[in-house]
Amino acid sequence: GQRRQPVRARLAPGARSLSCQITDMAVLPDHHGRGLGSRILDELIRWIDLNCPDAYVSGIADPAGERLSVSRGFVFTKGKGMRRSPWGL
């Protein structure tokens, strides 16, 4: 079977590095409380600051991720997220 990784992160840089979106960041429950999420987000922010210093950075998070993101300088926006699905879900 496929080996499960304890952590995962995905970053989607936009055209000409004007925007970046942190699209997927997860830590398996057995690995919670070890600071792995903080280390992942810190590394993503470091990479963005070095490679796309003028980028607008966005993301969506669950409550734990919101607390972590706010502690790293993210702020809530007034808008709401949108999605489009070919399945109508």
Side-chain angles (χ1 to χ4, degrees):
Q2 185 178 0
R3 186 172 156 241
R4 290 177 51 170
Q5 297 294 324
V7 296
R8 174 180 72 208
R10 196 173 303 155
L11 176 68
R16 294 182 288 167
S17 301
L18 297 177
S19 66
C20 292
Q21 185 174 31
I22 298 173
T23 60
D24 190 14
M25 195 173 116
V27 177
L28 290 176
D30 290 350
H31 299 276
H32 285 186
R34 298 181 185 177
L36 296 174
S38 295
R39 289 171 38 196
I40 291 169
L41 186 56
D42 290 344
E43 187 61 25
L44 289 171
I45 292 169
R46 187 189 71 74
W47 187 93
I48 292 167
D49 288 346
L50 288 172
N51 295 283
C52 314
D54 297 321
Y56 175 87
V57 183
S58 63
I60 298 171
D62 63 10
E66 287 177 353
R67 288 189 300 276
L68 175 59
S69 297
V70 168
S71 76
R72 298 309 194 269
F74 286 80
V75 296
F76 290 98
T77 63
K78 293 181 182 180
K80 294 187 178 188
M82 296 176 65
R83 67 176 176 80
R84 181 174 181 267
S85 170
W87 307 284
L89 302 174

